[in-house]
Amino acid sequence: MSLPYSALAECYDRLNDHVDYHGWANGLAAKMKALGTPDGALVLDLACGTGNITLPLAALGYDMIGVDLSPDMLNAARQKKGADKVLWLCQDMRAFELYGTVGAVVCCLDSINYLTGRIGLRKCFSLVHNYLDPDGIFLFDVNSPYKFKHIYGDQQYVLDAEGIYCGWKNFYDEESGICDFELTIFSEGEDGLWHRFDENQRERCWSVKTLSSLLIACGFEVLEIASDLDGTPVGETSERIFFTCRAIKS
């Protein structure tokens, strides 16, 4: 079985050009600054994908490390302007290794939901804590239970962009919290021919209670749980939940 985002890597940016990555980066930077992360600090972007948040954070002056499991996504990141200023590492977020500690870790756009097992999730949180400076900040978001049930559900969607067509079918099991995604991608090549790629992905809906208890068990203080980076409280129809955490070191 191929790694997630093997087929999507080539067209990922075109299908997601509506995402305000610079807005995300500015929000993360404001949050880190407010919590005492120094300007120019070493920051890890975990599950960084094609670097759409890594690179804007680097442009804001942070010394960035980007970790991702997909070599194809990292290859796309390395082709972008400013990529030579980032240390890119192809590693699993449940088993990554750094050369030392960092001032902050960010993990964006529901990457944590791709950790579908409790053991793997705990390993990830433990490693993040291990590689954070004392009082270092961990910022991440997850898709909410509302989004899994009402937006994903058993729905089907079509995404398209210039030279790209993506059919997206969801299968959500509310009891297990597992949502399977079946993607069929048609991409127009330079020869004018269309090529088909198929990819399966899986996310798990994690409750706030479970995430909070695991974070605390791994040595974090949960500072804030909100529906966006501005601190807006989580509501019944919030689609994302943002966690702001601080590493407590004995």
PDB file of all heavy atoms in Angstrom, residues 63-91:
ATOM      1  N   ASP A  63      13.396  29.826  12.635  1.00  0.00           N
ATOM      2  CA  ASP A  63      14.342  28.827  12.129  1.00  0.00           C
ATOM      3  C   ASP A  63      13.566  27.506  12.047  1.00  0.00           C
ATOM      4  O   ASP A  63      13.321  26.861  13.064  1.00  0.00           O
ATOM      5  CB  ASP A  63      15.525  28.723  13.087  1.00  0.00           C
ATOM      6  CG  ASP A  63      16.641  27.842  12.557  1.00  0.00           C
ATOM      7  OD1 ASP A  63      16.534  27.359  11.419  1.00  0.00           O
ATOM      8  OD2 ASP A  63      17.615  27.623  13.299  1.00  0.00           O
ATOM      9  N   MET A  64      13.164  27.103  10.853  1.00  0.00           N
ATOM     10  CA  MET A  64      12.167  26.049  10.700  1.00  0.00           C
ATOM     11  C   MET A  64      12.752  24.675  10.385  1.00  0.00           C
ATOM     12  O   MET A  64      13.716  24.530   9.635  1.00  0.00           O
ATOM     13  CB  MET A  64      11.177  26.417   9.590  1.00  0.00           C
ATOM     14  CG  MET A  64      10.348  27.660   9.883  1.00  0.00           C
ATOM     15  SD  MET A  64       9.355  27.528  11.401  1.00  0.00           S
ATOM     16  CE  MET A  64       8.319  26.097  11.017  1.00  0.00           C
ATOM     17  N   ILE A  65      12.099  23.665  10.968  1.00  0.00           N
ATOM     18  CA  ILE A  65      12.292  22.263  10.616  1.00  0.00           C
ATOM     19  C   ILE A  65      10.941  21.738  10.135  1.00  0.00           C
ATOM     20  O   ILE A  65       9.919  21.953  10.790  1.00  0.00           O
ATOM     21  CB  ILE A  65      12.750  21.422  11.825  1.00  0.00           C
ATOM     22  CG1 ILE A  65      14.052  21.961  12.403  1.00  0.00           C
ATOM     23  CG2 ILE A  65      12.910  19.952  11.424  1.00  0.00           C
ATOM     24  CD1 ILE A  65      14.449  21.311  13.723  1.00  0.00           C
ATOM     25  N   GLY A  66      10.928  21.057   9.004  1.00  0.00           N
ATOM     26  CA  GLY A  66       9.700  20.451   8.501  1.00  0.00           C
ATOM     27  C   GLY A  66       9.826  18.937   8.481  1.00  0.00           C
ATOM     28  O   GLY A  66      10.747  18.403   7.868  1.00  0.00           O
ATOM     29  N   VAL A  67       8.928  18.268   9.172  1.00  0.00           N
ATOM     30  CA  VAL A  67       8.910  16.797   9.217  1.00  0.00           C
ATOM     31  C   VAL A  67       7.637  16.287   8.568  1.00  0.00           C
ATOM     32  O   VAL A  67       6.541  16.766   8.876  1.00  0.00           O
ATOM     33  CB  VAL A  67       8.994  16.283  10.676  1.00  0.00           C
ATOM     34  CG1 VAL A  67       8.629  14.802  10.755  1.00  0.00           C
ATOM     35  CG2 VAL A  67      10.382  16.508  11.245  1.00  0.00           C
ATOM     36  N   ASP A  68       7.780  15.321   7.656  1.00  0.00           N
ATOM     37  CA  ASP A  68       6.604  14.710   7.041  1.00  0.00           C
ATOM     38  C   ASP A  68       6.940  13.275   6.632  1.00  0.00           C
ATOM     39  O   ASP A  68       8.099  12.965   6.315  1.00  0.00           O
ATOM     40  CB  ASP A  68       6.142  15.504   5.816  1.00  0.00           C
ATOM     41  CG  ASP A  68       4.693  15.207   5.460  1.00  0.00           C
ATOM     42  OD1 ASP A  68       4.443  14.247   4.698  1.00  0.00           O
ATOM     43  OD2 ASP A  68       3.796  15.917   5.954  1.00  0.00           O
ATOM     44  N   LEU A  69       5.907  12.434   6.640  1.00  0.00           N
ATOM     45  CA  LEU A  69       6.086  11.024   6.289  1.00  0.00           C
ATOM     46  C   LEU A  69       6.198  10.807   4.785  1.00  0.00           C
ATOM     47  O   LEU A  69       6.790   9.836   4.334  1.00  0.00           O
ATOM     48  CB  LEU A  69       4.898  10.220   6.847  1.00  0.00           C
ATOM     49  CG  LEU A  69       4.869   8.708   6.586  1.00  0.00           C
ATOM     50  CD1 LEU A  69       6.062   8.028   7.250  1.00  0.00           C
ATOM     51  CD2 LEU A  69       3.560   8.107   7.103  1.00  0.00           C
ATOM     52  N   SER A  70       5.636  11.732   3.997  1.00  0.00           N
ATOM     53  CA  SER A  70       5.559  11.544   2.551  1.00  0.00           C
ATOM     54  C   SER A  70       6.752  12.175   1.830  1.00  0.00           C
ATOM     55  O   SER A  70       6.901  13.406   1.812  1.00  0.00           O
ATOM     56  CB  SER A  70       4.269  12.167   2.009  1.00  0.00           C
ATOM     57  OG  SER A  70       4.299  12.234   0.596  1.00  0.00           O
ATOM     58  N   PRO A  71       7.599  11.360   1.201  1.00  0.00           N
ATOM     59  CA  PRO A  71       8.712  11.934   0.432  1.00  0.00           C
ATOM     60  C   PRO A  71       8.224  12.760  -0.749  1.00  0.00           C
ATOM     61  O   PRO A  71       8.880  13.734  -1.142  1.00  0.00           O
ATOM     62  CB  PRO A  71       9.508  10.709  -0.028  1.00  0.00           C
ATOM     63  CG  PRO A  71       8.563   9.556   0.068  1.00  0.00           C
ATOM     64  CD  PRO A  71       7.625   9.881   1.191  1.00  0.00           C
ATOM     65  N   ASP A  72       7.080  12.407  -1.296  1.00  0.00           N
ATOM     66  CA  ASP A  72       6.542  13.159  -2.430  1.00  0.00           C
ATOM     67  C   ASP A  72       6.118  14.567  -2.016  1.00  0.00           C
ATOM     68  O   ASP A  72       6.347  15.538  -2.743  1.00  0.00           O
ATOM     69  CB  ASP A  72       5.350  12.407  -3.031  1.00  0.00           C
ATOM     70  CG  ASP A  72       5.742  11.049  -3.573  1.00  0.00           C
ATOM     71  OD1 ASP A  72       6.511  10.990  -4.536  1.00  0.00           O
ATOM     72  OD2 ASP A  72       5.294  10.032  -3.003  1.00  0.00           O
ATOM     73  N   MET A  73       5.485  14.681  -0.844  1.00  0.00           N
ATOM     74  CA  MET A  73       5.088  16.004  -0.359  1.00  0.00           C
ATOM     75  C   MET A  73       6.334  16.840  -0.045  1.00  0.00           C
ATOM     76  O   MET A  73       6.393  18.033  -0.361  1.00  0.00           O
ATOM     77  CB  MET A  73       4.212  15.857   0.883  1.00  0.00           C
ATOM     78  CG  MET A  73       2.870  15.183   0.634  1.00  0.00           C
ATOM     79  SD  MET A  73       1.689  16.206  -0.274  1.00  0.00           S
ATOM     80  CE  MET A  73       0.931  17.110   1.076  1.00  0.00           C
ATOM     81  N   LEU A  74       7.337  16.227   0.557  1.00  0.00           N
ATOM     82  CA  LEU A  74       8.568  16.952   0.873  1.00  0.00           C
ATOM     83  C   LEU A  74       9.301  17.382  -0.390  1.00  0.00           C
ATOM     84  O   LEU A  74       9.881  18.476  -0.445  1.00  0.00           O
ATOM     85  CB  LEU A  74       9.478  16.089   1.742  1.00  0.00           C
ATOM     86  CG  LEU A  74       9.031  15.885   3.190  1.00  0.00           C
ATOM     87  CD1 LEU A  74       9.945  14.894   3.893  1.00  0.00           C
ATOM     88  CD2 LEU A  74       8.996  17.200   3.955  1.00  0.00           C
ATOM     89  N   ASN A  75       9.291  16.538  -1.414  1.00  0.00           N
ATOM     90  CA  ASN A  75       9.919  16.918  -2.683  1.00  0.00           C
ATOM     91  C   ASN A  75       9.250  18.150  -3.274  1.00  0.00           C
ATOM     92  O   ASN A  75       9.919  19.028  -3.836  1.00  0.00           O
ATOM     93  CB  ASN A  75       9.858  15.751  -3.680  1.00  0.00           C
ATOM     94  CG  ASN A  75      10.866  14.666  -3.356  1.00  0.00           C
ATOM     95  OD1 ASN A  75      11.855  14.906  -2.673  1.00  0.00           O
ATOM     96  ND2 ASN A  75      10.612  13.452  -3.836  1.00  0.00           N
ATOM     97  N   ALA A  76       7.917  18.221  -3.149  1.00  0.00           N
ATOM     98  CA  ALA A  76       7.199  19.406  -3.622  1.00  0.00           C
ATOM     99  C   ALA A  76       7.594  20.631  -2.798  1.00  0.00           C
ATOM    100  O   ALA A  76       7.772  21.732  -3.339  1.00  0.00           O
ATOM    101  CB  ALA A  76       5.690  19.172  -3.541  1.00  0.00           C
ATOM    102  N   ALA A  77       7.749  20.443  -1.472  1.00  0.00           N
ATOM    103  CA  ALA A  77       8.142  21.555  -0.603  1.00  0.00           C
ATOM    104  C   ALA A  77       9.524  22.084  -0.976  1.00  0.00           C
ATOM    105  O   ALA A  77       9.757  23.299  -0.985  1.00  0.00           O
ATOM    106  CB  ALA A  77       8.127  21.102   0.858  1.00  0.00           C
ATOM    107  N   ARG A  78      10.437  21.173  -1.289  1.00  0.00           N
ATOM    108  CA  ARG A  78      11.825  21.562  -1.573  1.00  0.00           C
ATOM    109  C   ARG A  78      11.962  22.380  -2.850  1.00  0.00           C
ATOM    110  O   ARG A  78      12.998  23.013  -3.067  1.00  0.00           O
ATOM    111  CB  ARG A  78      12.702  20.316  -1.673  1.00  0.00           C
ATOM    112  CG  ARG A  78      12.913  19.601  -0.343  1.00  0.00           C
ATOM    113  CD  ARG A  78      13.969  18.507  -0.488  1.00  0.00           C
ATOM    114  NE  ARG A  78      14.183  17.781   0.754  1.00  0.00           N
ATOM    115  CZ  ARG A  78      13.668  16.594   1.029  1.00  0.00           C
ATOM    116  NH1 ARG A  78      12.896  15.979   0.130  1.00  0.00           N
ATOM    117  NH2 ARG A  78      13.926  16.008   2.179  1.00  0.00           N
ATOM    118  N   GLN A  79      10.949  22.376  -3.712  1.00  0.00           N
ATOM    119  CA  GLN A  79      11.018  23.117  -4.974  1.00  0.00           C
ATOM    120  C   GLN A  79      10.599  24.579  -4.805  1.00  0.00           C
ATOM    121  O   GLN A  79      10.722  25.372  -5.740  1.00  0.00           O
ATOM    122  CB  GLN A  79      10.101  22.454  -6.019  1.00  0.00           C
ATOM    123  CG  GLN A  79      10.341  20.978  -6.243  1.00  0.00           C
ATOM    124  CD  GLN A  79      11.780  20.648  -6.587  1.00  0.00           C
ATOM    125  OE1 GLN A  79      12.385  21.300  -7.439  1.00  0.00           O
ATOM    126  NE2 GLN A  79      12.340  19.658  -5.900  1.00  0.00           N
ATOM    127  N   LYS A  80      10.118  24.946  -3.624  1.00  0.00           N
ATOM    128  CA  LYS A  80       9.532  26.272  -3.434  1.00  0.00           C
ATOM    129  C   LYS A  80      10.573  27.305  -2.989  1.00  0.00           C
ATOM    130  O   LYS A  80      11.616  26.967  -2.430  1.00  0.00           O
ATOM    131  CB  LYS A  80       8.395  26.188  -2.411  1.00  0.00           C
ATOM    132  CG  LYS A  80       7.235  25.315  -2.881  1.00  0.00           C
ATOM    133  CD  LYS A  80       6.121  25.244  -1.857  1.00  0.00           C
ATOM    134  CE  LYS A  80       4.963  24.408  -2.376  1.00  0.00           C
ATOM    135  NZ  LYS A  80       3.859  24.300  -1.401  1.00  0.00           N
ATOM    136  N   LYS A  81      10.231  28.541  -3.223  1.00  0.00           N
ATOM    137  CA  LYS A  81      11.100  29.658  -2.843  1.00  0.00           C
ATOM    138  C   LYS A  81      11.320  29.655  -1.334  1.00  0.00           C
ATOM    139  O   LYS A  81      10.374  29.559  -0.555  1.00  0.00           O
ATOM    140  CB  LYS A  81      10.469  30.975  -3.286  1.00  0.00           C
ATOM    141  CG  LYS A  81      11.328  32.193  -2.981  1.00  0.00           C
ATOM    142  CD  LYS A  81      10.652  33.465  -3.449  1.00  0.00           C
ATOM    143  CE  LYS A  81      11.504  34.689  -3.126  1.00  0.00           C
ATOM    144  NZ  LYS A  81      10.847  35.960  -3.589  1.00  0.00           N
ATOM    145  N   GLY A  82      12.571  29.764  -0.929  1.00  0.00           N
ATOM    146  CA  GLY A  82      12.914  29.816   0.483  1.00  0.00           C
ATOM    147  C   GLY A  82      13.107  28.460   1.123  1.00  0.00           C
ATOM    148  O   GLY A  82      13.444  28.369   2.308  1.00  0.00           O
ATOM    149  N   ALA A  83      12.909  27.385   0.348  1.00  0.00           N
ATOM    150  CA  ALA A  83      12.993  26.033   0.905  1.00  0.00           C
ATOM    151  C   ALA A  83      14.405  25.692   1.388  1.00  0.00           C
ATOM    152  O   ALA A  83      14.570  24.843   2.268  1.00  0.00           O
ATOM    153  CB  ALA A  83      12.540  25.008  -0.129  1.00  0.00           C
ATOM    154  N   ASP A  84      15.411  26.353   0.826  1.00  0.00           N
ATOM    155  CA  ASP A  84      16.788  26.064   1.220  1.00  0.00           C
ATOM    156  C   ASP A  84      17.096  26.533   2.639  1.00  0.00           C
ATOM    157  O   ASP A  84      18.115  26.145   3.221  1.00  0.00           O
ATOM    158  CB  ASP A  84      17.765  26.708   0.240  1.00  0.00           C
ATOM    159  CG  ASP A  84      17.584  28.214   0.130  1.00  0.00           C
ATOM    160  OD1 ASP A  84      16.435  28.694   0.244  1.00  0.00           O
ATOM    161  OD2 ASP A  84      18.581  28.926  -0.076  1.00  0.00           O
ATOM    162  N   LYS A  85      16.227  27.332   3.220  1.00  0.00           N
ATOM    163  CA  LYS A  85      16.429  27.824   4.586  1.00  0.00           C
ATOM    164  C   LYS A  85      15.789  26.905   5.630  1.00  0.00           C
ATOM    165  O   LYS A  85      15.880  27.184   6.831  1.00  0.00           O
ATOM    166  CB  LYS A  85      15.852  29.228   4.722  1.00  0.00           C
ATOM    167  CG  LYS A  85      16.525  30.250   3.807  1.00  0.00           C
ATOM    168  CD  LYS A  85      15.891  31.621   3.957  1.00  0.00           C
ATOM    169  CE  LYS A  85      16.559  32.632   3.034  1.00  0.00           C
ATOM    170  NZ  LYS A  85      15.938  33.987   3.136  1.00  0.00           N
ATOM    171  N   VAL A  86      15.133  25.842   5.175  1.00  0.00           N
ATOM    172  CA  VAL A  86      14.413  24.927   6.069  1.00  0.00           C
ATOM    173  C   VAL A  86      15.121  23.575   6.085  1.00  0.00           C
ATOM    174  O   VAL A  86      15.596  23.098   5.052  1.00  0.00           O
ATOM    175  CB  VAL A  86      12.949  24.743   5.602  1.00  0.00           C
ATOM    176  CG1 VAL A  86      12.225  23.722   6.473  1.00  0.00           C
ATOM    177  CG2 VAL A  86      12.216  26.076   5.619  1.00  0.00           C
ATOM    178  N   LEU A  87      15.173  22.948   7.255  1.00  0.00           N
ATOM    179  CA  LEU A  87      15.653  21.577   7.357  1.00  0.00           C
ATOM    180  C   LEU A  87      14.453  20.645   7.176  1.00  0.00           C
ATOM    181  O   LEU A  87      13.536  20.644   7.993  1.00  0.00           O
ATOM    182  CB  LEU A  87      16.294  21.336   8.727  1.00  0.00           C
ATOM    183  CG  LEU A  87      16.698  19.888   9.042  1.00  0.00           C
ATOM    184  CD1 LEU A  87      17.757  19.394   8.058  1.00  0.00           C
ATOM    185  CD2 LEU A  87      17.189  19.759  10.479  1.00  0.00           C
ATOM    186  N   TRP A  88      14.457  19.881   6.081  1.00  0.00           N
ATOM    187  CA  TRP A  88      13.349  18.974   5.774  1.00  0.00           C
ATOM    188  C   TRP A  88      13.736  17.552   6.172  1.00  0.00           C
ATOM    189  O   TRP A  88      14.798  17.072   5.780  1.00  0.00           O
ATOM    190  CB  TRP A  88      13.010  19.012   4.282  1.00  0.00           C
ATOM    191  CG  TRP A  88      12.711  20.387   3.754  1.00  0.00           C
ATOM    192  CD1 TRP A  88      13.551  21.183   3.032  1.00  0.00           C
ATOM    193  CD2 TRP A  88      11.498  21.128   3.914  1.00  0.00           C
ATOM    194  NE1 TRP A  88      12.933  22.365   2.712  1.00  0.00           N
ATOM    195  CE2 TRP A  88      11.671  22.370   3.235  1.00  0.00           C
ATOM    196  CE3 TRP A  88      10.271  20.868   4.536  1.00  0.00           C
ATOM    197  CZ2 TRP A  88      10.680  23.339   3.190  1.00  0.00           C
ATOM    198  CZ3 TRP A  88       9.281  21.840   4.492  1.00  0.00           C
ATOM    199  CH2 TRP A  88       9.480  23.048   3.823  1.00  0.00           C
ATOM    200  N   LEU A  89      12.887  16.875   6.929  1.00  0.00           N
ATOM    201  CA  LEU A  89      13.153  15.517   7.384  1.00  0.00           C
ATOM    202  C   LEU A  89      11.973  14.618   7.044  1.00  0.00           C
ATOM    203  O   LEU A  89      10.828  14.939   7.379  1.00  0.00           O
ATOM    204  CB  LEU A  89      13.377  15.498   8.907  1.00  0.00           C
ATOM    205  CG  LEU A  89      14.550  16.333   9.436  1.00  0.00           C
ATOM    206  CD1 LEU A  89      14.541  16.339  10.959  1.00  0.00           C
ATOM    207  CD2 LEU A  89      15.874  15.808   8.908  1.00  0.00           C
ATOM    208  N   CYS A  90      12.251  13.493   6.377  1.00  0.00           N
ATOM    209  CA  CYS A  90      11.205  12.536   6.030  1.00  0.00           C
ATOM    210  C   CYS A  90      11.102  11.516   7.162  1.00  0.00           C
ATOM    211  O   CYS A  90      11.880  10.549   7.227  1.00  0.00           O
ATOM    212  CB  CYS A  90      11.538  11.839   4.703  1.00  0.00           C
ATOM    213  SG  CYS A  90      10.199  10.800   4.080  1.00  0.00           S
ATOM    214  N   GLN A  91      10.141  11.742   8.053  1.00  0.00           N
ATOM    215  CA  GLN A  91      10.001  10.912   9.244  1.00  0.00           C
ATOM    216  C   GLN A  91       8.526  10.781   9.636  1.00  0.00           C
ATOM    217  O   GLN A  91       7.715  11.656   9.337  1.00  0.00           O
ATOM    218  CB  GLN A  91      10.795  11.505  10.417  1.00  0.00           C
ATOM    219  CG  GLN A  91      12.283  11.609  10.174  1.00  0.00           C
ATOM    220  CD  GLN A  91      13.053  12.042  11.406  1.00  0.00           C
ATOM    221  OE1 GLN A  91      13.997  11.404  11.816  1.00  0.00           O
ATOM    222  NE2 GLN A  91      12.656  13.144  12.003  1.00  0.00           N
TER     223      GLN A  91
END
